[in-house]
Amino acid sequence: MKKITNILVFTWFLCLGTVMNGSAQLQINSGSQYLMNIAKDMSTDFGDFTNIFFFADELASFNAKEGVGTVRWKRSVLNSRQAFNTNTVVANNLNMLDFPGPAYVNDPEYKFSIDFISPRAIRVRMLTTPVEIKEEASLMLAGTPGTDKSWVVSETDKEITYKGANGSLTIEKKPWRLVLKDAQGRVMTKTYCSIDNDESQVKAIPFCYIKRGSDNSRSINPVFSLSPNEKIFGCGESFTSLNKIGQKVNLFVTDPQGPETDQMYKPIPFFMSNKGYGMFMHTSAPVTCDFGATNIAVNKLFMADEKMDFFIFFGEPKDILNEYTEIVGKPTMPPLWSFGTWMSRITYLTQEDGYNIAENLRKHKIPSDVIHFDTGWFDEDWQCDYKFAPSRFSNPQKMLDDLKNKGFHISLWQLPYFTPKNVYFPELIEKNMYVKNGKGDMPYEDVVLDFTNPATVKWYQEKLGGLLKMGVGAIKVDFGEAAPYNGLYANGRSGLYEHNLYPLRYNKSVADITRELHGENIIWARSAWAGSQRYPLHWGGDAATNNNGMLGTIRGGLSIGLSGFSFWSHDIGGFVISTPEELYRRWLPFGFLTSHTRAHGAPPTEPWLYNEGFVKAFRESAELKYKLMPYVYAQAKECTEKGLPMMRALFVEFPNDPGAWLVEDQYLFGSQILVAPLFESGTKRNVYLPEGKWIDYQTGKVYANGWHMIEVGEIPAVILVRDGSALPHIKLAQHTAEMDWSQIELKLYAADAAEATGLVCLPADNQLHQVKVTVSDKTINAGTLSDKTKLKITN
């Protein structure tokens, strides 16, 4: 009997999926979940035999000049097919069984349109219903997309082609297909249609939408081809391998508890290919991207949305990121002080703690600008009431003023959830400021603030505003991943469309009130969706305190940078347990050579709690960044103008170097500094160097391109500078307000280069200046910058 029971349990687990995969496998075929807020896997619905499938069959009508027409969708059904002892799935045409027959159409025709946004961007929209809802302003978009007239159209009886300076889009009429080509006429990708299955015994479901047997709701599944050696990047802050080919990626905001699984705090419905194109799936509904995971030739984009609204971009990675962020928005510059050191832990509990941390940072001469109070500045830990606990903060206003005079900005933790014991719980219920369930009651035990309700936003911003008016510098925008998926929101929409959008609404609410009161664009957020990059900055969550936590963190930082986010940070050394000193030392240069730098963890992270040797190591990494602050600030400014990440994958700068596309444990800090952290104990590592010469920042040794085993310097990381760089430095200061921007030191890094170049941006005018130095005679050409600061050259 025991053996039979085990067989039954095993069979049930096979049906359920791999439970301990750390991902979206805790599901049954309908997509229902066994644990709340595990990512939705939308692909399951597209294998359900009770659903009706409609395949994009032919272009029924189209006005090529206007870019508008209709596509006929062929009604189909899935059947199983036996081949000896193997069962496969095939799709067959279906004659409609609906009643009354004359009221419906067997193969419906729905609107399909093309818009041209710029010479590198087009928009493709497809409906799966005759009803076109009036389009409202999208929170994901920075504004109304532009219109470009440079694309030239031509038409034959078989196809319509729109050709631009950077590529072309062809619409094949029957069978309906979209073909994207680059400027040289090479096919980058094309939609997958039924006839493509003739080439293989493995039958992939082509471009389609489904009508569910369970409730007649619709979802669309755009399907595109993949090429041999194609690589896909993006999709948000993903902690798995950077290249997404062979992966199934669920775009559903979750709290993964750290950067070690395939779940994401910050999924972004955008990706780019090394073939020269990128796609932004303009939706807030869940998406499952099957990038060749179940069929190596096919990119299946399983969407919960019933409509397809894609922006498609042509070009190299820099072009694509610039075009994408033109659509969803670029950030304005965060304040200078935010680029300094943030000192934090869970948690500083008292006013005395704040003074002690400030005193120790200055005593140990560790340059720093921010002290963060996490979950315990209220009367009761984790119970946010927006008030400093009177019993532990006798005069918080004086503390804020005193610390500001010492060069410290204060950051405060909070969250958008209120437990039944929270003092504001009754008020929020009474005023209907929470997300509701279908009955109008609470979907959870906790109140979840409803940011679609203007009254909620006003109430919330008033609470934060009181703190900001006291002089608090930044608000930590923690959590935000658990907006009820089955909830009903004040704007009339359900969690299907609001769950993923919740972090963006949350980020925006905090950023708006901070900008209104301080004139600064700064938050410290964990969750995000497309559009959140306008509201810097975001950090990588609760990393494991081990080597793999560090690896997942760097992957997450690179991936979010390839998804349109310029600024990002993480918890140096990991979050969970007290960081072993050896690991902490290796993590330090990675943490400081990131756009924003924070030491934070559940246990204490302060360097003076280790030993004097570690204090010295911490200080050296901090001093490195503070001396490089003119470089950091100028590179950040360029990122805000071009949609680039401060922490960027090598191929962003070197798209024509095949090796650069393979590296995921090194990065470029800005455009001129290459960083290769140590992920294991030791003093050296293999480093891949793209084209050109590279000069070791710490030793001056010169390396050619290719693979090298390189010893780290006194700061335990490989830090190299691109040949022909003029890196601006500044005299060391203990905080950014003390920095003397009237004198900038240019350090030249030149091996073969006859000219060294760099960027400088003075905080006083916030303008980007290019500096050129002739290496032979040290002649400086800096334009009007020479009138604003004194430039001094050193080798």
Side-chain angles (χ1 to χ4, degrees):
M1 184 66 188
K2 184 177 180 181
K3 183 179 288 186
I4 294 173
T5 302
N6 287 342
I7 292 172
L8 290 173
V9 171
F10 178 67
T11 304
W12 180 76
F13 271 94
L14 283 177
C15 294
L16 177 64
T18 307
V19 175
M20 295 306 293
N21 194 30
S23 71
Q25 299 305 313
L26 285 172
Q27 301 183 354
I28 58 176
N29 282 342
S30 66
S32 297
Q33 296 164 293
Y34 285 87
L35 286 177
M36 184 172 69
N37 287 328
I38 285 181
K40 291 283 187 182
D41 183 347
M42 299 312 303
S43 67
T44 58
D45 286 354
F46 289 85
D48 190 334
F49 283 47
T50 67
N51 296 334
I52 305 298
F53 287 72
F54 294 85
F55 299 134
D57 186 51
E58 67 176 301
L59 192 67
S61 65
F62 201 76
N63 183 323
K65 184 178 180 181
E66 299 296 327
V68 179
T70 58
V71 168
R72 181 173 296 116
W73 299 82
K74 179 69 71 175
R75 184 181 295 252
S76 304
V77 66
L78 299 185
N79 297 116
S80 61
R81 172 181 176 270
Q82 178 182 319
F84 291 103
N85 294 317
T86 297
N87 284 351
T88 60
V89 177
V90 295
N92 292 313
N93 293 341
L94 177 67
N95 288 324
M96 185 178 64
L97 301 174
D98 296 357
F99 179 84
Y104 302 100
V105 178
N106 194 75
D107 298 332
E109 298 176 9
Y110 296 130
K111 186 176 178 180
F112 157 60
S113 64
I114 307 286
D115 295 291
F116 298 91
I117 310 302
S118 79
R120 291 191 182 273
I122 62 176
R123 187 178 192 179
V124 180
R125 286 179 278 191
M126 301 184 77
L127 299 181
T128 62
T129 170
V131 179
E132 185 172 10
I133 298 173
K134 184 179 180 181
E135 199 167 284
E136 298 179 357
S138 169
L139 193 62
M140 290 173 276
L141 304 185
T144 303
T147 301
D148 183 71
K149 302 291 187 182
S150 65
W151 295 74
V152 177
V153 62
S154 60
E155 183 172 5
T156 68
D157 59 343
K158 293 184 178 180
E159 62 186 33
I160 301 167
T161 297
Y162 295 93
K163 191 169 184 180
N166 302 289
S168 66
L169 168 69
T170 295
I171 308 168
E172 295 180 358
K173 297 181 179 180
K174 186 173 178 61
W176 177 87
R177 191 202 296 272
L178 299 179
V179 182
L180 299 174
K181 296 181 181 179
D182 64 18
Q184 286 72 47
R186 296 183 292 250
V187 173
M188 299 185 295
T189 189
K190 55 188 178 182
T191 54
Y192 195 86
C193 57
S194 298
I195 62 169
D196 294 318
N197 279 326
D198 296 343
E199 302 170 353
S200 173
Q201 290 193 134
V202 180
K203 310 302 182 185
I205 294 176
F207 196 117
C208 67
Y209 75 88
I210 56 171
K211 185 175 75 170
R212 290 178 179 82
S214 59
D215 60 6
N216 278 0
S217 64
R218 297 170 305 280
S219 289
I220 195 165
N221 176 207
V223 182
F224 292 86
S225 65
L226 291 171
S227 302
N229 299 315
E230 183 164 1
K231 298 171 179 60
I232 298 285
F233 300 88
C235 291
E237 187 191 53
S238 172
F239 309 118
T240 58
S241 292
L242 212 55
N243 177 14
K244 299 307 172 197
I245 290 293
Q247 299 184 42
K248 182 186 280 188
V249 182
N250 294 312
L251 303 180
F252 185 88
V253 175
T254 64
D255 176 0
Q257 304 283 296
E260 293 92 50
T261 77
D262 62 352
Q263 307 281 283
M264 286 185 275
Y265 302 105
K266 309 170 191 68
I268 305 297
F270 164 83
F271 63 88
M272 69 172 78
S273 167
N274 66 331
K275 294 300 179 181
Y277 68 91
M279 292 187 184
F280 168 45
M281 298 168 279
H282 180 212
T283 181
S284 58
V287 181
T288 293
C289 304
D290 182 333
F291 295 119
T294 55
N295 186 319
I296 63 171
V298 185
N299 175 7
K300 309 170 188 176
L301 305 173
F302 300 103
M303 305 179 68
D305 208 326
E306 64 186 48
K307 177 179 71 173
M308 171 181 160
D309 184 2
F310 279 20
F311 290 86
I312 301 174
F313 311 103
F314 297 75
E316 295 184 341
K318 281 187 175 182
D319 303 318
I320 292 169
L321 286 170
N322 185 55
E323 292 291 333
Y324 167 60
T325 53
E326 281 296 301
I327 299 296
V328 296
K330 294 177 168 68
T332 54
M333 275 288 282
L336 174 64
W337 57 263
S338 73
F339 294 96
T341 308
W342 297 52
M343 184 57 66
S344 174
R345 72 158 98 142
I346 293 185
T347 176
Y348 303 137
L349 291 166
T350 68
Q351 184 169 307
E352 183 181 2
D353 283 346
Y355 282 119
N356 285 341
I357 294 300
E359 180 183 351
N360 273 291
L361 286 165
R362 295 293 179 249
K363 181 176 74 175
H364 293 288
K365 296 190 180 302
I366 296 171
S368 48
D369 276 76
V370 184
I371 297 173
H372 172 72
F373 288 84
D374 214 69
T375 63
W377 58 281
F378 328 107
D379 258 331
E380 187 174 347
D381 200 12
W382 294 91
Q383 294 294 325
C384 180
D385 62 6
Y386 308 103
K387 297 174 184 176
F388 287 94
S391 62
R392 290 178 276 114
F393 294 85
S394 59
N395 193 337
Q397 184 64 68
K398 183 176 186 303
M399 180 193 72
L400 291 169
D401 293 342
D402 289 347
L403 294 180
K404 185 70 175 290
N405 290 333
K406 295 177 185 292
F408 291 105
H409 297 257
I410 299 303
S411 167
L412 295 179
W413 177 93
Q414 54 82 67
L415 80 172
Y417 313 144
F418 295 78
T419 70
K421 291 185 177 181
N422 189 285
V423 65
Y424 287 116
F425 186 87
E427 178 184 351
L428 293 166
I429 295 293
E430 180 184 349
K431 293 181 177 178
N432 289 309
M433 293 184 178
Y434 59 96
V435 179
K436 300 179 180 180
N437 61 18
K439 188 180 178 182
D441 205 340
M442 292 174 56
Y444 301 160
E445 289 178 274
D446 300 346
V447 160
V448 177
L449 290 179
D450 186 350
F451 290 111
T452 72
N453 182 347
T456 303
V457 174
K458 183 175 184 294
W459 179 91
Y460 177 63
Q461 290 181 332
E462 285 175 353
K463 297 292 186 271
L464 297 183
L467 297 165
L468 293 165
K469 288 174 183 177
M470 290 177 67
V472 171
I475 301 297
K476 182 174 177 179
V477 188
D478 207 357
F479 291 90
E481 301 92 359
Y485 184 71
N486 295 320
L488 296 177
Y489 294 72
N491 64 355
R493 304 209 316 177
S494 75
L496 177 68
Y497 291 96
E498 285 296 332
H499 171 87
N500 282 337
L501 210 55
Y502 192 91
L504 175 54
R505 296 189 187 278
Y506 181 28
N507 295 173
K508 183 178 186 300
S509 296
V510 181
D512 284 352
I513 189 63
T514 304
R515 188 185 300 107
E516 178 185 328
L517 296 178
H518 285 183
E520 294 179 333
N521 191 27
I522 183 68
I523 62 175
W524 188 277
R526 190 172 77 174
S527 57
W529 188 252
S532 289
Q533 75 291 329
R534 301 192 297 265
Y535 312 111
L537 62 115
H538 297 78
W539 101 99
D542 302 339
T545 315
N546 56 36
N547 291 336
N548 284 321
M550 187 179 179
L551 177 62
T553 296
I554 195 172
R555 285 175 173 173
L558 289 170
S559 189
I560 195 74
L562 294 170
S563 306
F565 284 66
S566 295
F567 305 112
W568 176 84
S569 187
H570 61 274
D571 296 342
I572 301 176
F575 171 82
V576 183
I577 63 173
S578 182
T579 310
E581 181 181 340
E582 189 272 337
L583 172 64
Y584 206 163
R585 282 176 178 264
R586 287 188 281 111
W587 206 314
L588 282 171
F590 169 34
F592 278 95
L593 295 177
T594 304
S595 77
H596 290 77
T597 300
R598 184 174 78 156
H600 176 75
T605 59
E606 296 79 18
W608 51 88
L609 299 179
Y610 285 75
N611 53 62
E612 278 302 315
F614 184 72
V615 170
K616 179 175 181 290
F618 196 104
R619 182 192 304 120
E620 286 172 344
S621 286
E623 289 179 348
L624 169 68
K625 185 174 189 181
Y626 274 67
K627 291 176 184 176
L628 276 169
M629 196 59 72
Y631 174 81
V632 173
Y633 197 72
Q635 293 289 323
K637 177 63 175 176
E638 184 180 43
C639 288
T640 66
E641 294 180 356
K642 297 181 178 180
L644 293 169
M646 277 288 286
M647 178 182 167
R648 65 190 67 161
L650 303 189
F651 65 78
V652 174
E653 289 291 329
F654 300 94
N656 297 318
D657 183 337
W661 293 85
L662 303 175
V663 178
E664 61 176 26
D665 63 352
Q666 305 169 204
Y667 63 95
L668 289 162
F669 183 47
S671 61
Q672 295 175 301
I673 297 177
L674 185 149
V675 182
L678 290 174
F679 291 94
E680 296 181 277
S681 300
T683 61
K684 58 186 177 181
R685 60 158 289 176
N686 271 312
V687 180
Y688 180 78
L689 302 181
E691 59 187 275
K693 295 287 181 67
W694 295 84
I695 300 101
D696 193 308
Y697 183 86
Q698 300 185 78
T699 68
K701 187 174 179 180
V702 178
Y703 296 91
N705 65 300
W707 285 101
H708 298 269
M709 180 64 74
I710 302 179
E711 287 275 349
V712 301
E714 185 173 354
I715 294 174
V718 176
I719 306 169
L720 305 173
V721 184
R722 205 169 173 174
D723 185 21
S725 297
L727 299 188
H729 289 65
I730 200 166
K731 184 180 178 182
L732 180 64
Q734 289 302 298
H735 56 89
T736 55
E738 279 188 343
M739 289 180 172
D740 180 8
W741 290 82
S742 67
Q743 298 185 68
I744 300 294
E745 179 184 0
L746 297 174
K747 291 190 176 182
L748 304 187
Y749 296 85
D752 296 339
E755 183 179 72
T757 63
L759 296 173
V760 175
C761 180
L762 302 177
D765 68 1
N766 218 27
Q767 299 295 313
L768 203 57
H769 302 269
Q770 186 175 52
V771 177
K772 296 181 179 180
V773 180
T774 304
V775 174
S776 59
D777 61 8
K778 305 297 189 292
T779 302
I780 301 174
N781 182 356
T784 59
L785 178 64
S786 299
D787 301 327
K788 301 175 182 180
T789 188
K790 183 179 179 181
L791 299 172
K792 177 185 176 182
I793 294 176
T794 59
N795 289 327

